[in-house]
Amino acid sequence: MKNVHILIASLILLNLYSCKKQPKVITFSSLEVLNGDILLCGSGDFGTVDFATSCTTESSEMFNLGLSLLHSFEYTEAEKAFAKVLEVDPNCAIAFWGIAMCNFHSLWMQAGNAHLIKGNRLIEATTELKTTDRERAYINAIGAFYKDWQTVPHKQRIYLFEEGMRSVYETYPEDKEAAIFYALALRAIANPSDKTFKNQLKSGKILKSIFPSAPNHPGIAHYLIHNYDYPELAEKALPTAREYAKIAPASAHAQHMPSHIFTRLGLWEEAIASNLKSTEAALCYAEALGATAHWDEELHGMDYLVYAYLQLGANDKAAEQYDYLKTFYSVFPVNFKCAYAIAAIPGRIALENKDWEGAAQLELPEIAIPWEQFPWERSLYYFTKGYGAIRLGLIEEAEQELKAIKTAHRDLQKAENNYLADQVAIEIANLEAWMLFRKGSIDSAIQRMQEAKDMENNTQKHPVTPGELIPAAELLADLYMENGNIELAHSAYLDNLNQHPQRFNGLYGAAKTASMLNDLETAKMYFQQLLDLGQAYNSQRPELLEAKTFLEP
């Protein structure tokens, strides 16, 4: 196990306070605030922040640690750090803000209402406490998200948070943290269908303007990566991606985040290195906690690892991750990241290898997950089985899986989670298109598959996923190939590679169709790229053997 730094409360308080000045002891039970030892792996370094507060000077170091942890989405340990600030200074209102921010996961919608109840109580706890005008503005911004959560929709409350942070940013233009949190808020309200990336670019511009004066700030690097996590923008974040892990080496999430950009650009070796470090740090953290379950950050990194390994044809390495996953019994916290990885990892392995029988007969690892709470994530399982069945000609079995996916779609619509409902709608369109094809309705199948591709192109991927189980553009290309439309298939494979560079099956499809069109130079180019991918792991995938044969003099 890596070195684990346990910051024991009594030792911290001894450093923060002189022995003549004993801190007040407060109870957090009514607010359900996490407290206790702060567990940090490795160096314990999470970057540098400097947030001025009106609280005691003795608490400033711990407050800044909490803020650094928060900026890398290390929510649990960040909350414990802010709790320690309140142990030293129970009247530090901005520490309540910090805890409220730890329960606000800005870039995805959390399940349940517990975080909303807690956040609202935290904000109410600051009502009678003295603050500066600036601190109260920060508190009011996040307070707008929690207020009236029972009646105001989530999307509207996210916009209220953005409005609040915009006001802080405009009122205090020299405040770096105001700018950084406003930039995060802009990213949080970005429309997934906006292909101009208006909010992401505006947010990125703010962050890049600050970066030179705060090069070791974890939030700037982290949020820049989230802003540019798109094929069209990824190049903008590559230098930052290569720095973020150095800024916050103790954070499993910071080790992982650069792989978002590496994945967008097809830099598979860098993605693998990033997630090996991330999963190691995540395992260290779980061991430090004494947890018998596996932390969600470990599963998140594993999904990205499997995706990258598969693009290099490294089936053995991908299988190692899956075999390891099958040893898990429980995970913590039980959330969408865990559910997604558990469903996606086996699905990817079967579908990327065109193992239709394995896909059709897929069984999920026996890990304790309440799947009814995760309609989108469980739909991945149904999609894998359904698509595998279609490719085997088992239409009745596929129709049963499609029915299950449509149930998941209705669940998401009922919950008014339109973005995830759209993700599932793409899966439905993919399966319906291939069903039509298998039933002989060729023109209708192509039209439906085009619709699926257009839907996917107009709906940005969720931050949790390295990529779709199979991109719709690649499925369209496969359909053209099956139907003998080789020119259209070649064009579709190239279109897919523009969005998903260096995808193994995309390169193979482009090479194969070029050879069938007698465009030998293009075929050689793509077959060589494919061989280059598979060299490091001595892959034995049949596509690589075909490439070698084609390229032999």
Side-chain angles (χ1 to χ4, degrees), residues 48 119 161 163 172 186 215 233 311 314 328 374 377 386 393 398 415 423 447 460 473 540 544:
T48 304
F161 171 70
E163 289 175 9
Y172 303 96
L186 283 170
L233 304 180
Q311 306 321 312
F328 294 10
F374 303 106
E377 293 81 353
Q423 295 289 325
Q447 181 181 344
Q460 298 301 336
Q540 297 302 304
L544 294 173

Side-chain angles (χ1 to χ4, degrees), residues 303-488:
D303 184 29
Y304 276 70
L305 269 176
V306 167
Y307 187 81
Y309 280 136
L310 289 170
Q311 306 321 312
L312 295 175
N315 283 352
D316 291 347
K317 289 291 186 181
E320 284 178 13
Q321 294 294 320
Y322 184 30
D323 289 342
Y324 176 51
L325 179 67
K326 287 187 283 190
T327 69
F328 294 10
Y329 175 73
S330 56
V331 296
F332 77 98
V334 176
N335 61 20
F336 72 98
K337 283 196 287 188
C338 296
Y340 187 92
I342 292 166
I345 286 173
R348 293 190 197 288
I349 292 172
L351 295 175
E352 291 274 8
N353 283 284
K354 303 186 187 302
D355 176 10
W356 310 133
E357 190 168 323
Q361 297 176 2
L362 187 69
E363 295 294 337
L364 292 179
E366 295 181 2
I367 301 173
I369 288 285
W371 288 105
E372 69 280 359
Q373 296 180 18
F374 303 106
W376 173 47
E377 293 81 353
R378 74 175 187 259
S379 75
L380 302 175
Y381 169 64
Y382 304 138
F383 175 80
T384 301
K385 288 175 67 69
Y387 188 67
I390 291 171
R391 295 306 297 259
L392 293 172
L394 305 174
I395 301 303
E396 289 186 9
E397 288 85 341
E399 285 174 343
Q400 289 302 309
E401 304 303 334
L402 180 58
K403 183 178 179 181
I405 295 178
K406 288 182 176 179
T407 298
H409 184 251
R410 285 194 295 272
D411 290 345
L412 289 164
Q413 287 181 316
K414 186 177 179 180
E416 297 184 353
N417 194 329
N418 296 327
Y419 172 76
L420 293 186
D422 288 345
Q423 295 289 325
V424 178
I426 295 166
E427 296 173 8
I428 292 170
N430 287 333
L431 290 189
E432 288 180 342
W434 275 85
M435 279 187 178
L436 287 165
F437 182 71
R438 283 291 180 239
K439 292 176 180 179
S441 300
I442 308 301
D443 291 343
S444 296
I446 291 172
Q447 181 181 344
R448 189 66 171 129
M449 199 63 245
Q450 284 277 9
E451 290 171 359
K453 188 200 80 166
D454 292 343
M455 289 166 64
E456 191 164 273
N457 285 348
N458 292 324
T459 305
Q460 298 301 336
K461 80 169 192 69
H462 193 284
V464 77
T465 173
E468 305 84 0
L469 294 185
I470 305 182
E474 197 168 279
L475 285 173
L476 175 62
D478 289 347
L479 193 149
Y480 281 137
M481 187 81 155
E482 286 277 316
N483 197 47
N485 305 114
I486 307 305
E487 288 189 11
L488 291 174

